[in-house]
Amino acid sequence: MRRTQIYLDADQSEQLGRRARAGGVSRSTVIREAIASYLSSGDESDELAHFRAAIDAVGERPIDMPDGRSYVEAIRAADAVRDEALEARRERTKRRNPR
């Protein structure tokens, strides 16, 4: 191993100490593990390539969506059912707790 010196602000140093104590390891171990995780997380260009591949895959398949009118009618029907259920609940509450 090679020795490397870093500077941390007070909050970082405190959090690092807490993390090390909680894990029962040294602060150096926490730093080495964090660096290893960071370095193994992949290149930013890899992430961009995966993102672009996902976008391309979505573009190859048509999305099965209802036409606008059917969609709006379904939403309105669901709203009507919800409104009826809320009104029924209000009526039950009023009967149980008359003022």
Side-chain angles (χ1 to χ4, degrees), residues 14-52:
E14 185 178 318
Q15 288 181 26
L16 178 62
R18 280 197 304 265
R19 177 79 53 104
R21 285 189 299 279
V25 296
S26 69
R27 294 163 57 106
S28 296
T29 298
V30 174
I31 291 169
R32 282 192 297 273
E33 289 172 354
I35 291 171
S37 175
Y38 174 77
L39 294 177
S40 69
S41 67
D43 189 345
E44 199 174 300
S45 62
D46 290 342
E47 292 177 20
L48 183 57
H50 289 300
F51 177 74
R52 286 187 175 146

Side-chain angles (χ1 to χ4, degrees), residues 74-90:
I75 295 296
R76 287 181 177 157
D79 285 348
V81 169
R82 186 195 68 226
D83 290 345
E84 288 172 10
L86 287 172
E87 189 57 36
R89 187 181 308 154
R90 284 186 194 115

Side-chain angles (χ1 to χ4, degrees), residues 49-80:
H50 289 300
F51 177 74
R52 286 187 175 146
I55 294 298
D56 291 342
V58 169
E60 293 171 4
R61 283 181 287 202
I63 298 173
D64 184 24
M65 293 184 66
D67 64 281
R69 180 179 296 231
S70 298
Y71 178 76
V72 170
E73 287 173 358
I75 295 296
R76 287 181 177 157
D79 285 348

Side-chain angles (χ1 to χ4, degrees), residues 6-18:
I6 63 170
Y7 293 94
L8 303 174
D9 64 34
D11 187 51
Q12 291 170 327
S13 180
E14 185 178 318
Q15 288 181 26
L16 178 62
R18 280 197 304 265

